[in-house]
Amino acid sequence: MHEIPSPRSEAHSPRSEAHSPRSEAKAVRRQALLDAAAGLFAAQGFAGVSLDDLGAAAGVSGPAIYRHFAGKQAVLGALLVGVSEELLAGGLRVADADQRANDDGAAQRGAQGNANDDGAVLRALVAFHVDFALSKPEVIRVQDRDFTSLSPDDRSAVRRLQRRYVDVWAGALAGLHPGTTPAELRVRAQAVFGLINSTPHSVGGAQRGGGRVPAARARELLSAMALAALTAPAP
Amino acid sequence: MHEIPSPRSEAHSPRSEAHSPRSEAKAVRRQALLDAAAGLFAAQGFAGVSLDDLGAAAGVSGPAIYRHFAGKQAVLGALLVGVSEELLAGGLRVADADQRANDDGAAQRGAQGNANDDGAVLRALVAFHVDFALSKPEVIRVQDRDFTSLSPDDRSAVRRLQRRYVDVWAGALAGLHPGTTPAELRVRAQAVFGLINSTPHSVGGAQRGGGRVPAARARELLSAMALAALTAPAP
DNA sequence: GCCTTGGGTTAGTGACGATTAACTGGAATC
DNA sequence: GATTCCAGTTAATCGTCACTAACCCAAGGC
């Protein structure tokens, strides 16, 4: 995907006040399209959503989407690259903050002795990821269901970002499991993603027999399970 | 899907020697189609596979599939209902076996005191599910990616079977976590499925930096993590 | 040895859906 | 106030399938 020229006003501005003249209604539309895409793709899969559906869900109809994206695939690309960046950024932020707190508290005391604080980093990572998964289950679902529908470029971009995110986790795990290969640490991290990302499945549908588990409770439960899985001694 | 009349030959012989006259080449074809479907659907998604692709992968070409299934959706239905039945049957077998062993060993000694043996059942369930996920990652992947492409009937059939499988796990968990609601036990079980089913993702692609984790090692690691997550005290 | 069965095959057929073309109307610019 | 821009719109176009029709031809029962 080439690039949308988009005069100035590059990618930033999470706060979207009177920033560009007034044709930032465009940014709003674009975001509406991405939001609609998250919901529709999650519910029906990338291939199961037509551009007409997608446009309709965002209030415009049909090929208006081409004013914002190069094509259907580009919508998916923007969505998934966005999530991956958001996850990585969050992971780095959380890991840095806790790492820094650690360095402040107990300067350096030998390279391997900071398992205690790797624990703190892990707890923070788990809390972050659980919050993310519980607040945006649709995006989580799309990310590992429709990954293969991405263009080759977007696919490798997403893969790269995901890899870095996994490495943040693997880094935090390294102190806890010395002598374990990096590959195995990554498998461990990804298994925990699977655990946490199970929420779109389990919390999604109305269960028949029993009640639903409230989100706050699910957060605690998943965090506890994730930490247990992360800290379980290597076999 | 109704039933294949399949002349007589009801009760015996799972092994498929000279069982029906010779037009059991049909059964072979059918199975080949299902195998091909598992691989293709896993790799490209249900919507990304054409009937021509599917037929070609099974050695026939195109609409020959209609001699074996009512349509594309019916192939998916047969595949997923089959897996769900296989999982449930395996879960019941394993749970029964271990339950029986327990009853033999220590008759009855009060209703709640058998946590020890619920532990044994859980270990057996975990081992079973991990083996399944490692040996048939494609089917696992299809099951939670293309579930929504099922016909309404097949969808609810699969849902029913999955629900019963989850309940087998929840039953084994009940002794370990007394006072926990069934809904929460199900969430716990499904989270562990997510953990174990992460293998199609993590073991699937060729990693860049580090080596691969051998299957035997992955089995042990995932089992340990799953058990840790299952036995982690409720928050 | 006929004649039915049934799995296969190769040409349609009909939808559906992603793009693209041609046009419109209200801002933003000057 | 005229002109340019550009998000939108509606009406083609073009491919790609799922599925159906019309034929084959080996087997297997009689």
Side-chain angles (χ1 to χ4, degrees):
Chain A
M1 308 299 109
H2 306 331
E3 263 311 66
I4 301 154
S6 90
R8 49 218 64 90
S9 80
E10 284 295 296
H12 65 290
S13 81
R15 51 218 94 72
S16 52
E17 293 312 285
H19 145 250
S20 85
R22 51 197 59 108
S23 176
E24 60 153 318
K26 177 159 189 178
V28 172
R29 243 325 122 65
R30 183 190 155 97
Q31 190 54 48
L33 283 167
L34 287 175
D35 292 348
L40 287 174
F41 290 167
Q44 317 176 34
F46 177 73
V49 176
S50 74
L51 283 178
D52 283 349
D53 294 344
L54 180 51
V60 303
S61 272
I65 296 169
Y66 288 90
R67 297 293 173 193
H68 301 273
F69 300 95
K72 193 186 175 190
Q73 223 179 12
V75 179
L76 183 65
L79 187 63
L80 294 196
V81 170
V83 193
S84 303
E85 284 169 342
E86 200 179 338
L87 273 178
L88 174 58
L92 286 174
R93 179 170 39 74
V94 155
D96 276 7
D98 271 78
Q99 201 61 55
R100 203 177 321 287
N102 176 28
D103 290 353
D104 284 0
Q108 57 273 51
R109 53 183 163 182
Q112 81 293 358
N114 50 359
N116 216 2
D117 245 39
D118 281 329
V121 173
L122 274 187
R123 273 190 297 279
L125 284 173
V126 166
F128 165 70
H129 201 293
V130 168
D131 273 348
F132 193 96
L134 284 173
S135 60
K136 310 190 181 171
E138 332 80 32
V139 189
I140 288 286
R141 185 168 182 75
V142 174
Q143 183 153 51
D144 63 40
R145 173 207 254 171
D146 292 312
F147 178 78
T148 56
S149 299
L150 285 168
S151 74
D153 284 358
D154 287 340
R155 177 157 47 240
S156 61
V158 169
R159 225 198 290 273
R160 235 179 339 263
L161 289 164
Q162 284 180 331
R163 166 66 176 239
R164 289 177 61 195
Y165 183 59
V166 170
D167 281 343
V168 172
W169 284 67
L173 281 169
L176 214 61
H177 301 285
T180 302
T181 71
E184 185 168 323
L185 293 177
R186 283 193 295 270
V187 168
R188 203 184 267 260
Q190 262 171 310
V192 168
F193 296 163
L195 186 156
I196 297 174
N197 295 349
S198 71
T199 29
H201 307 305
S202 51
V203 185
Q207 302 297 57
R208 184 185 48 189
R212 187 115 64 261
V213 175
R217 179 75 186 166
R219 183 205 323 283
E220 298 307 317
L221 177 59
L222 291 173
S223 299
M225 294 178 73
L227 279 171
L230 288 169
T231 57
Chain B
M1 307 308 107
H2 306 329
E3 265 311 69
I4 300 152
S6 92
R8 53 216 61 90
S9 76
E10 298 270 318
H12 64 294
S13 81
R15 49 220 92 73
S16 51
E17 293 312 285
H19 144 246
S20 84
R22 52 200 56 106
S23 176
E24 61 154 314
K26 177 157 189 180
V28 172
R29 250 314 129 68
R30 182 189 157 97
Q31 191 55 47
L33 282 168
L34 287 174
D35 291 348
L40 287 175
F41 290 167
Q44 316 175 33
F46 176 73
V49 176
S50 74
L51 283 178
D52 283 349
D53 293 343
L54 180 51
V60 303
S61 275
I65 296 169
Y66 287 91
R67 299 291 175 197
H68 300 273
F69 299 95
K72 195 187 175 190
Q73 225 180 10
V75 179
L76 184 65
L79 187 62
L80 294 196
V81 170
V83 195
S84 302
E85 283 170 341
E86 202 179 336
L87 273 177
L88 175 58
L92 286 174
R93 180 171 37 74
V94 156
D96 275 8
D98 272 77
Q99 203 60 55
R100 204 176 322 286
N102 175 27
D103 291 353
D104 283 2
Q108 58 272 50
R109 50 181 166 182
Q112 82 291 2
N114 50 358
N116 216 4
D117 245 39
D118 281 327
V121 173
L122 273 187
R123 274 191 297 280
L125 284 172
V126 166
F128 165 69
H129 200 293
V130 168
D131 273 349
F132 192 95
L134 284 172
S135 61
K136 310 191 182 172
E138 333 80 33
V139 190
I140 289 284
R141 186 168 181 74
V142 174
Q143 182 154 49
D144 63 41
R145 174 207 252 172
D146 293 312
F147 177 78
T148 57
S149 299
L150 285 169
S151 74
D153 282 359
D154 286 340
R155 176 156 48 241
S156 61
V158 169
R159 224 198 290 275
R160 232 177 342 261
L161 289 164
Q162 284 180 331
R163 165 68 176 239
R164 287 177 61 194
Y165 183 60
V166 170
D167 282 343
V168 171
W169 283 67
L173 280 168
L176 214 61
H177 300 286
T180 302
T181 71
E184 185 167 324
L185 292 177
R186 283 194 294 267
V187 168
R188 202 184 267 260
Q190 263 172 310
V192 168
F193 296 163
L195 186 156
I196 297 173
N197 294 350
S198 71
T199 28
H201 307 304
S202 51
V203 186
Q207 302 298 55
R208 182 185 53 188
R212 187 116 61 258
V213 175
R217 179 75 186 164
R219 184 205 324 283
E220 299 306 319
L221 177 60
L222 290 173
S223 299
M225 294 179 71
L227 278 171
L230 288 169
T231 57

